[in-house]
Amino acid sequence: MKATRGSSELKEELKNRRFRMKREKVVTVPWQKLAQKAYSQGDVLIERDEQGIIRVTNSKQTTAAIVEGSSIPSQVSKERERPLLEHSPTVPAVGPAVPPAGHSKSAHASEMHAPTGGAYKAARSWRRGTVTRRPRRPGPAAALAGLAIAALLIPAVLAWPREEAPPSSTPAVQGQVPPIAQKPGAEAPAPVPDTTPAPKPAVVYPEPEVRVYLTKTGTIDTVTMEQYVTGVVAAEMPSDFGLEALKAQAIAARTFVTKRMDADDRSGIPVEGADVNDTVEHQVYLPYNSLAESFKEAGKEKEWAKLEQAVRESKDTIMTYKGEPITASFFSTSNGYTENSEDVWQQAVPYLRSVESPWDAEIAPGYQESVTMSRVDFLNKLNVTSDAIPVSTIGQTAKPFIQILSKTAGNRIKEIQVGKKVFTGIEIRQKLGLRSSEFTWTTSGDNITITTHGYGHGVGMSQWGANGMAQEGYTATQILKHYYNGIAFGQASKLLYKDKS
């Protein structure tokens, strides 16, 4: 007999039915809540949705949602439609009321006895009963779903690792031929010997020590090479210069002392046991042990950090020419050019050539300075008698009492005549205490005003020029190669260590 909506046979069938879900938790709902809804011929599905709500659905897609012991009727969407449980209500109920312990087979449940107390229980697993079900043919939707699943599984199957060719866990060695798959029983080929030489470990040489004679105290300050370079850079170059300029200065200072120590040069040292002194005769040096405190007291912690960074990033680097450390001379400010070494020291050095240095005129505060002195004082300093100066210079044939005779490649005065006496530009600079041998002059009454351009001897690296290059983005290497022609770079520790060994 066919069960109709509201028929007692369907209600009786539902009473005799228990459904168990996959989780152990069992939700108990009063049967009276479900009894308010009638269903057709037992085509019923009980399921729990994503929010944990248990729904009872018949073949007409009418559901009763069970929440906290109450049922809420709703309409199931066609997109979420699931196959319905088919069975005949006329089949008697068989099987135990509760599945055996450990049994968790997922399937539709068969006829089961109704629980006592007027309530039924639904958990998250189905229990397969012994009732024979009518087989169903898959519809078009199921066929399409099967094809989609097969399309997704095929790439995964193809990508699954094969057991017959497991990946090798042995790392490849440079120069070694990878193993070739051999047939069973075949002899393996002889391994190809690896003739690649093993890399040699980097040699670390001990850091040299520098013994500095302190002229004020008459003592010797023994410090490491990098500490000495820090003291020289702090004394010789303004700390607010660019980092690359400070690095270039550190390399120049390290090269200067390395050359002296390599040649065992003790000139300018009044006592035994020192390598250099702390004056401009060698390089100005500030004792390292008090440097950090001095910068801190002056409120220049950032400048101190930058100075340490410059020395650290240029550590152990020196300039070389044909494998030997160079004479790394430097000066403050150029007149727009540097000098050839022979125009200052009467010796031509291939890497100390005259080059342009236009940055000084733009940024150096002491690029141009003037000094005024009396004519008498001027003549006395030059040891020129007043009778050598003509009384009058009126007329075209009369010669001025100061006359430039020649200039150097760096545009400095090479020779100059004062009265009847001829001087070099360097002699004039030294006797008059001028900042540079590039100067001009004017007279007014009994006074003479001399205007200089640049500051220093002009050989090697210009410090203000280096700072100008650093401001334009040049590196320390580019700065040094501009001011020192054809140089290379080496290690101070390596050179001095080999000399000792």
Side-chain angles (χ1 to χ4, degrees):
M1 170 177 160
K2 206 172 193 179
T4 59
R5 179 180 295 272
S7 64
S8 60
E9 289 85 353
L10 177 60
K11 292 182 180 179
E12 184 66 25
E13 177 64 25
L14 289 176
K15 281 184 180 181
N16 296 328
R17 209 176 262 284
R18 291 191 69 190
F19 299 92
R20 187 171 184 82
M21 310 299 286
K22 290 183 180 179
R23 291 186 180 176
E24 292 297 329
K25 182 178 179 181
V26 175
V27 180
T28 302
V29 182
W31 172 250
Q32 289 75 8
K33 298 293 182 180
L34 287 177
Q36 298 174 3
K37 205 68 174 171
Y39 302 93
S40 65
Q41 67 170 5
D43 293 339
V44 175
L45 174 69
I46 296 181
E47 62 179 347
R48 184 190 296 270
D49 65 8
E50 295 176 355
Q51 288 75 30
I53 300 175
I54 297 176
R55 298 181 181 275
V56 180
T57 309
N58 68 352
S59 60
K60 293 185 178 181
Q61 302 302 305
T62 302
T63 66
I66 305 172
V67 183
E68 298 295 332
S70 62
S71 62
I72 305 173
S74 63
Q75 188 69 22
V76 177
S77 171
K78 291 296 181 181
E79 297 179 359
R80 297 185 57 187
E81 181 177 353
R82 295 181 56 178
L84 299 179
L85 175 64
E86 297 182 1
H87 77 283
S88 173
T90 59
V91 180
V94 295
V98 180
H103 182 78
S104 59
K105 185 177 293 185
S106 176
H108 292 293
S110 66
E111 312 284 349
M112 306 184 75
H113 298 286
T116 58
Y120 83 97
K121 297 182 180 180
R124 294 197 60 185
S125 67
W126 299 94
R127 175 174 177 80
R128 183 183 301 275
T130 59
V131 179
T132 303
R133 297 187 179 88
R134 184 174 63 229
R136 293 176 297 171
R137 290 183 297 177
L144 291 176
L147 290 176
I149 295 173
L152 293 175
L153 290 178
I154 288 174
V157 172
L158 294 177
W160 195 266
R162 304 298 191 267
E163 294 183 358
E164 61 273 16
S168 175
S169 60
T170 305
V173 180
Q174 184 178 3
Q176 182 177 353
V177 179
I180 303 175
Q182 299 293 323
K183 295 182 179 179
E187 294 184 2
V192 178
D194 185 9
T195 58
T196 305
K200 295 181 180 180
V203 179
V204 178
Y205 299 94
E207 183 177 358
E209 288 187 343
V210 182
R211 299 167 297 178
V212 188
Y213 175 73
L214 305 179
T215 54
K216 289 185 179 180
T217 61
T219 59
I220 296 177
D221 186 16
T222 302
V223 292
T224 66
M225 173 67 79
E226 303 310 313
Q227 291 173 343
Y228 171 75
V229 171
T230 304
V232 172
V233 177
E236 292 280 12
M237 179 173 276
S239 58
D240 59 352
F241 272 25
L243 175 63
E244 296 301 315
L246 292 171
K247 289 165 66 174
Q249 180 67 61
I251 295 173
R254 190 181 296 109
T255 304
F256 179 89
V257 70
T258 299
K259 184 176 180 62
R260 278 186 58 90
M261 295 173 65
D262 179 54
D264 199 22
D265 184 2
R266 304 295 177 184
S267 61
I269 303 173
V271 297
E272 292 292 332
D275 301 305
V276 290
N277 63 38
D278 60 349
T279 68
V280 292
E281 183 181 6
H282 296 156
Q283 295 184 121
V284 181
Y285 166 79
L286 297 176
Y288 177 80
N289 293 334
S290 59
L291 272 181
E293 189 64 28
S294 299
F295 273 82
K296 184 177 180 180
E297 291 177 356
K300 296 183 176 181
E301 290 86 350
K302 291 184 178 179
E303 287 81 356
W304 171 247
K306 182 171 63 174
L307 174 59
E308 286 189 309
Q309 179 184 356
V311 176
R312 181 175 62 254
E313 292 183 1
S314 66
K315 181 179 180 180
D316 204 29
T317 304
I318 60 173
M319 292 177 283
T320 62
Y321 186 83
K322 295 184 177 181
E324 298 295 328
I326 71 170
T327 299
S329 58
F330 54 87
F331 61 99
S332 173
T333 311
S334 79
N335 66 331
Y337 300 88
T338 64
E339 286 279 56
N340 288 330
S341 60
E342 61 269 23
D343 290 331
V344 179
W345 298 322
Q346 290 76 48
Q347 181 180 359
V349 180
Y351 48 82
L352 296 177
R353 301 290 88 197
S354 177
V355 297
E356 293 185 3
S357 184
W359 304 277
D360 309 64
E362 299 174 359
I363 62 174
Y367 171 76
Q368 179 176 304
E369 288 194 5
S370 298
V371 58
T372 301
M373 63 185 73
S374 67
R375 183 183 296 235
V376 174
D377 190 21
F378 174 80
L379 296 175
N380 289 339
K381 289 181 178 180
L382 296 178
N383 196 20
V384 175
T385 58
S386 58
D387 58 1
I389 303 175
V391 177
S392 175
T393 57
I394 300 175
Q396 295 181 356
T397 58
K399 291 183 179 181
F401 78 102
I402 303 176
Q403 183 179 3
I404 296 175
L405 302 179
S406 62
K407 282 198 168 187
T408 65
N411 202 36
R412 290 168 177 81
I413 295 175
K414 187 173 184 177
E415 287 185 326
I416 186 172
Q417 182 176 340
V418 180
K420 297 180 180 180
K421 200 168 184 178
V422 177
F423 300 90
T424 65
I426 296 174
E427 289 175 334
I428 292 289
R429 181 195 174 210
Q430 293 173 346
K431 292 179 180 294
L432 299 181
L434 303 179
R435 291 169 59 86
S436 172
S437 58
E438 165 63 15
F439 57 85
T440 58
W441 65 91
T442 59
T443 59
S444 176
D446 291 335
N447 294 330
I448 181 171
T449 300
I450 301 175
T451 302
T452 59
H453 302 274
Y455 182 28
H457 51 66
V459 181
M461 181 181 71
S462 167
Q463 293 174 313
W464 276 99
N467 190 42
M469 293 184 71
Q471 291 178 359
E472 292 186 3
Y474 290 94
T475 65
T477 299
Q478 292 172 324
I479 293 171
L480 294 173
K481 286 192 172 184
H482 172 73
Y483 287 107
Y484 305 97
N485 293 351
I487 61 164
F489 297 93
Q491 291 178 264
S493 60
K494 179 179 179 179
L495 180 69
L496 297 177
Y497 178 80
K498 287 185 176 182
D499 290 344
K500 290 183 180 180
S501 59

